[in-house]
Amino acid sequence: MSKYGLSRRSDIGAKFKVSFEFFPPKTDEMEARLWDTVTRLEPLQPNFVSVTYGAGGSTRERTGRTIKRILTETSVQAAAHLTCIGASREEVDAVIQEFAALGIKRYVALRGDPASGVGKTYVPRPDGYQNGADLVAGLKAIADFDISVAAYPEKHPESPDFATDIEMLKRKVDNGATRAITQFFFDNDLYERYVERVRRAGIYIPIVPGIQPVHNFRQVANFASRAGAHVPEWLAERFDGLEDDPQTHALVASAVAAEQVLDLVERGVDDFHFYTMNRSDLVVAICHMIGIRAPASAQGSAAA
Ligand code: FAD
C-alpha cells in the first residue's frame, strides 16, 4: 500500500474514479461533436463531468444549457465551472440562482484569468468576490453545493511561492471545498511533491490530477506557457516533426498519456480528471488501460 492509500499496479482493475471536463460548444457542429463524446464517455460511469465557464461570464448561457442537457439526457452528475473575475457579487449570485433553477448542484469554483491575460496584475473588483476562496464561501452561503477548486502543482503564476499558493488552497478548503483538481502537468514528480506539501499544510481533501491528453502538441505547449505549466524537453522531443502527421501524433499522444496515468497509478493515485477537449478517443483508451470500460451492453449499442 502506498502513502496515498492505494496499492500498486497489480491493482489495476480496482475501482478508479474518473471525471471528464468539457467546454461549451459554440456551433451546432461543435455541439454534435460534444454530444458524440458525452455519449461515448457516459458508459464509463464517471464520478462527474464538468463544463467550463468563460471568465467574465462569456459562456454563461452556453455553460448552463450544456449542463442542463447532460443532466436531462444522461445519468451523469454534472458540475458547472464558475468564475468571479470582472463581475459583482450580485451578478455572480444571479448566475448561481439561474444555474440552481437548472438543477445544478455541483461547482468548480474559480477566480478566472484577467482579461489582459494570465499572469497580468489581477485587481479584484471592490464589489466582487475577491478570489477563488471567497467564491467558495459565496456559493456555500447560497446552498450546500458540492464544490471543487483549482490547485497548481507548479504553483499559480501569480503566487510568489508555494507557501502563499497553498495558503490560498487552505482558505478554499476552510470555506467548504471538498475536492481540488490540478492544473495539468507532465512531470509526475512535481505532482507528488506538491501533494506532500499540501498534506504537510494540513489539507486532506483529494488533490485530483488533471490529465491533459496532447491532441495537438503546439496548442498544448502554448497553453502551458500561459498557465505556468512546464513542458519537459523530452515531451517536445516526442512530438517533434509530427505536425503534419496526425495519425502518428495521436499514437504518440496515447502512449504519453498512458505512461503518465500508469505511473500515477504506481504512485497510488486512484482518481483522475481528464481535460477532454470534447474528444473521447484518447480518454477512452487511457480509461481502458486502468480497467474503466463500458459494460458489454453499452459497447454493443455503440457498435450498432
Ligand atoms: P485563486 O485561487 O483565487 O488565485 C490563484 C493564485 O493567485 C493564488 O494562489 C494566490 O497566490 C494568487 N492571488 C489570488 N488573489 C490575489 C490577490 N488579490 N493578489 C495577489 N495574488 C492573488 N478559468 C476559466 O476562466 N474558466 C474555467 O472554467 C476554468 N476552469 C479551470 C479548471 C481547473 C481544474 C483549473 C486548474 C483552472 C481553471 N481555470 C478556468 C483557470 C483559472 O481560472 C485560473 O488559473 C485563474 O488564474 C486562477 O483561478 P483560481 O480559482 O485558482 O484563483
Side-chain angles (χ1 to χ4, degrees):
M1 184 80 82
S2 83
K3 62 191 158 176
Y4 294 97
L6 196 93
S7 40
R8 300 278 160 187
R9 190 178 288 203
S10 55
D11 286 335
I12 286 178
K15 191 72 191 142
F16 290 101
K17 280 197 274 186
V18 289
S19 49
F20 304 130
E21 181 171 313
F22 307 122
F23 61 85
K26 274 192 185 144
T27 62
D28 289 350
E29 195 188 336
M30 287 164 86
E31 169 136 9
R33 191 172 84 184
L34 169 62
W35 209 245
D36 279 349
T37 299
V38 170
T39 308
R40 187 133 186 253
L41 295 180
E42 181 190 3
L44 304 185
Q45 300 177 340
N47 193 23
F48 67 95
V49 300
S50 70
V51 180
T52 60
Y53 187 89
S58 57
T59 69
R60 173 180 179 161
E61 195 272 328
R62 283 186 285 128
T63 298
R65 184 157 39 88
T66 304
I67 296 188
K68 170 82 178 157
R69 186 167 174 198
I70 292 170
L71 289 175
T72 309
E73 297 185 29
T74 78
S75 56
V76 176
Q77 296 283 346
H81 291 217
L82 181 65
T83 63
C84 57
I85 202 164
S88 68
R89 281 167 194 258
E90 213 177 305
E91 285 162 346
V92 174
D93 289 355
V95 178
I96 299 167
Q97 299 294 359
E98 191 181 301
F99 281 6
L102 297 174
I104 297 171
K105 299 189 177 89
R106 291 172 169 254
Y107 284 92
V108 181
L110 304 141
R111 188 197 73 191
D113 287 316
S116 50
V118 187
K120 298 282 164 24
T121 311
Y122 164 61
V123 184
R125 267 175 69 144
D127 62 347
Y129 290 112
Q130 303 294 291
N131 49 50
D134 201 17
L135 178 60
V136 173
L139 278 158
K140 278 286 183 190
I142 292 176
D144 190 19
F145 296 118
D146 173 286
I147 303 177
S148 302
V149 290
Y152 301 89
E154 302 180 62
K155 80 177 183 55
H156 187 275
E158 287 169 47
S159 298
D161 48 46
F162 274 103
T164 313
D165 195 81
I166 290 171
E167 178 51 34
M168 179 62 85
L169 180 63
K170 184 141 184 20
R171 283 164 63 190
K172 293 174 183 179
V173 176
D174 290 346
N175 288 349
T178 52
R179 178 187 307 102
I181 301 169
T182 76
Q183 183 60 277
F184 68 83
F185 56 91
F186 295 106
D187 179 346
N188 289 348
D189 287 346
L190 294 173
Y191 167 81
E192 189 165 356
R193 245 176 272 144
Y194 177 75
V195 174
E196 283 165 4
R197 281 188 165 112
V198 165
R199 300 295 181 237
R200 275 203 301 273
I203 299 169
Y204 299 108
I205 61 167
I207 309 293
V208 182
I211 305 295
Q212 176 70 73
V214 185
H215 292 106
N216 179 326
F217 177 73
R218 229 182 246 169
Q219 209 176 46
V220 168
N222 194 349
F223 185 61
S225 76
R226 285 189 281 128
H230 172 59
V231 175
E233 193 58 41
W234 62 261
L235 189 68
E237 210 25 65
R238 287 200 190 169
F239 287 99
D240 184 40
L242 295 181
E243 293 82 1
D244 301 320
D245 183 354
Q247 220 176 345
T248 312
H249 190 293
L251 287 169
V252 171
S254 177
V256 164
E259 233 172 73
Q260 178 175 25
V261 168
L262 291 174
D263 179 67
L264 286 168
V265 168
E266 283 277 358
R267 296 171 194 239
V269 176
D270 64 352
D271 197 348
F272 298 91
H273 182 80
F274 290 96
Y275 295 107
T276 69
M277 309 301 288
N278 293 4
R279 298 177 184 206
S280 62
D281 285 1
L282 287 174
V283 176
V284 169
I286 302 157
C287 286
H288 187 89
M289 276 188 263
I290 57 171
I292 296 184
R293 296 162 191 191
S297 55
Q299 281 171 1
S301 61

